[in-house]
Amino acid sequence: MVELLLLKNYVVKSAANGQDALDLLDIWTPDLIIADIMMPIMDGQELYEIIKESRALCAIPFIFLTAKKEPNLKQKSLLDGVDDFISKPFKAKELLELIQTKLARFERIKNNQNNLYIGEKKFFLHEVNTPINGIQGFIDLLLDGENSLGNEDRRTFHTAIKTSLVRLQRNMQNLFLYESIKNNEFEVTASANCDIEAVFQKAKAIVLKEYQIEDYKITYEIEKKDLKISAEHLNFIFTELIDNALKFSSEPKKIIVIGKTYNAKYYEIIIRDFGIGLTANELKKINAAEQFNREKKEQQGLGLGLYLSKTITKKLNGLFSIISEKNVGTTISIFLPPSLKNST
């Protein structure tokens, strides 16, 4: 099948089982998924159930391919939401016609529903309108009090305007980054490298200023090392994950950041909080625009930071893991390759 589709000029990627497919879908977004039902480790039905629950992937046409002759299997699969079903053996012409039909339909769907954000509309409007209203409100106060405000008041308003601008800019950057990943346009530079300690200090300063908290609330121990990642992307990961840890931390807010050599292949970054934690079921649902306990914690953001950090890590051939326990806290571990500069 792969050889046939490559000959027909399709871009094709294959996976040996459902788990390998999920790993592939972390870094590449297809326009169609064809999955055998019977596979080792994770079968096609398990894979479909996970994809069906993912906001980022659920709209992608999904076709089952099987040699199983189980009664009513096709009817059951279609009722479950699968787009189509092919029984083995099949003719190449039959497969190609089905693929062409599904791709054409999906292209129309994408063109008609090309929204940047796939999460809850009310959260998106809140995250855009709140900083805009803040900027407008403080500008009005500055204009109204042009002749009566003192320097201290002016500085306070200027700081508030800048804070709102930073929040709005960050949300927009996350949306555009998500869009580039979704369209397979996001690329990492193979020759990139940066000093982890310098990048961490910069990200920490940004987050401390945003939350207006004391330096000691972020305890850290960073082993000096150059990593095979751009300063821009590492700064993004640090900023988003430290910000995320603080959002879900209980008072008094405190998190731990550790950076250390894991082995010759990886450098490990650990970000740990002592907050509300996530359940096993919530951990399974982590994806783009997925937000937990938003009403309870009233946290800001679009729910993209964790997903984007994980995707960037995997694009760099790194590893990303989350261990969490309800009302105990969450530990995120990122394994990134060290720069070749470290070995010269």
Side-chain angles (χ1 to χ4, degrees), residues 123-143:
F123 295 157
F124 175 75
L125 292 174
H126 176 78
E127 291 303 321
V128 172
N129 288 334
T130 299
I132 289 176
N133 290 338
I135 293 166
Q136 184 176 349
F138 284 114
I139 288 176
D140 287 342
L141 288 171
L142 282 169
L143 292 174

Side-chain angles (χ1 to χ4, degrees), residues 195-197 220-227 257-262 267-268:
D195 176 354
I196 182 174
E197 187 177 21
Y220 64 93
E221 186 177 337
I222 305 289
E223 178 188 333
K224 192 172 179 62
K225 182 79 76 172
D226 285 339
L227 301 184
V257 180
I258 297 172
K260 61 181 181 178
T261 299
Y262 183 76
Y267 183 96
E268 182 180 14

